[in-house]
Amino acid sequence: LDAWQQIHGGHLEPRGWGIVTGKPLELHGCPGRETATARGGQFVLRQTVRDANQFGLSINNLSGLKVVVQGFGNAGYNFAHLIQRDSVIIVAVSDSRGGIYNAQGLNIAAVKQFKDATGSVVNFPGAQNITTDDLLLLDCDVLVPAAKESVITDRNAENVKAKIILELANGPVTLQADSILAKKGVFILPDILANAGGVTVSYYEWVQNNGGDKWTPDEIDRKLEYTMHNSTCEVLKTAREYGVDNRKGAYIVAIRRLAETIRLRGQHKLHSVYCC
């Protein structure tokens, strides 16, 4: 934002601040942006569990689900912190130095305090230290890769025991692993859907800036919940309709929206873009 102002000169009016999102609240930012990726993932998982019987998932509700979170940065920590309020059991988390495991569940707030004091979750009292590789293969209901890309590959996918994988990171499952997991019946909630909460709230910030408006945290939360729930339903329904996995279902939704927009605008000369 500063660079743009230096290049173009002068001070931007509030309506022009939408050229950059993720700004501090004091600079026309949007409340909830810091936790938006995690919150969006929570809403996606809630809706999936709500409709689990439609997908052959033997899950009745969130309460008591065993969840593993790989990554304890902004997305991973906030997701673990938020989803624990839904009475799930966070059995394992990890950061760049390693992971910790407790079959009875971890107190995420206490783990965060420990990490802030020591620099890592490793050696958290009452938990067993494990490697990140072992963490990905734990027996659990939901596995949440929330750090790096390509952590689940053709080398470890066969040994993944989770019923659901929620991709909070970008590209944590490789294409080769996708095929293996599909054959095993693992239900993947793809990153294009599961971690879209962050960019959605960035969009809300842009809308507010353009309109010279400010929404309350509750308004933003309601809008995000509505968007993520509807998007989840549309993606999962489309995947079933076409007999494909959820990742392809999400791509079909995206391309179909683009194709319909082009059609409605009368740009038929671009038909090759969406017909190929």
Side-chain angles (χ1 to χ4, degrees):
L1 180 66
D2 290 342
W4 192 95
Q5 289 179 332
Q6 288 175 4
I7 292 170
H8 294 276
H11 178 75
L12 276 175
E13 291 298 319
R15 290 175 184 267
W17 286 53
I19 60 167
V20 176
T21 61
K23 301 183 295 294
L25 288 178
E26 296 80 3
L27 299 178
H28 305 283
C30 182
R33 179 61 186 86
E34 183 178 350
T35 60
T37 300
R39 194 78 165 121
Q42 180 187 27
F43 290 143
V44 169
L45 184 59
R46 281 180 179 176
Q47 186 62 46
T48 300
V49 171
R50 194 173 289 133
D51 295 336
N53 63 326
Q54 299 181 28
F55 318 121
L57 293 170
S58 55
I59 294 173
N60 297 318
N61 53 62
L62 282 170
S63 180
L65 287 187
K66 291 185 177 180
V67 177
V68 170
V69 181
Q70 184 255 334
F72 208 67
N74 177 272
Y77 159 69
N78 281 308
F79 179 83
H81 176 68
L82 291 168
I83 204 71
Q84 194 164 56
R85 298 177 185 176
D86 288 331
S87 299
V88 306
I89 302 171
I90 309 291
V91 296
V93 299
S94 69
D95 57 26
S96 59
R97 298 188 189 178
I100 53 174
Y101 170 74
N102 185 325
Q104 305 307 311
L106 299 164
N107 182 320
I108 296 303
V111 174
K112 179 66 163 61
Q113 287 183 334
F114 183 83
K115 178 177 170 64
D116 288 345
T118 67
S120 176
V121 301
V122 175
N123 296 323
F124 178 72
Q128 172 189 346
N129 289 338
I130 59 174
T131 67
T132 298
D133 290 342
D134 288 340
L135 176 139
L136 294 169
L137 307 181
L138 287 172
D139 191 358
C140 62
D141 296 300
V142 183
L143 172 62
V144 184
K148 301 188 299 181
E149 63 181 16
S150 302
V151 294
I152 301 176
T153 69
D154 54 346
R155 288 181 287 184
N156 62 0
E158 193 62 54
N159 296 317
V160 169
K161 300 179 185 67
K163 297 183 180 74
I164 297 173
I165 294 178
L166 186 142
E167 295 184 334
L168 214 54
N170 290 323
V173 178
T174 66
L175 290 177
Q176 295 85 350
D178 247 353
S179 300
I180 297 170
L181 294 169
K183 292 176 183 177
K184 285 168 54 70
V186 179
F187 197 80
I188 297 178
L189 296 168
D191 52 2
I192 190 174
L193 169 68
N195 73 13
V199 291
T200 300
V201 173
S202 279
Y203 162 72
Y204 294 161
E205 182 177 339
W206 176 78
V207 171
Q208 291 171 86
N209 290 164
N210 286 350
D213 198 3
K214 284 189 177 182
W215 300 341
T216 67
D218 285 345
E219 285 180 292
I220 291 165
D221 200 49
R222 286 196 300 271
K223 291 176 187 292
L224 180 61
E225 182 174 17
Y226 176 83
T227 297
M228 299 308 292
H229 280 185
N230 283 356
S231 296
T232 302
C233 290
E234 186 175 7
V235 166
L236 301 187
K237 177 183 176 182
T238 300
R240 293 200 310 277
E241 177 186 346
Y242 285 87
V244 297
D245 59 57
N246 295 329
R247 194 182 311 282
K248 291 186 181 71
Y251 292 156
I252 290 170
V253 169
I255 294 172
R256 189 165 57 190
R257 288 178 182 174
L258 177 61
E260 182 64 6
T261 300
I262 292 173
R263 186 189 69 80
L264 291 172
R265 287 176 62 86
Q267 298 178 28
H268 300 294
K269 63 181 180 180
L270 298 177
H271 72 279
S272 59
V273 172
Y274 58 86
C275 286
C276 296

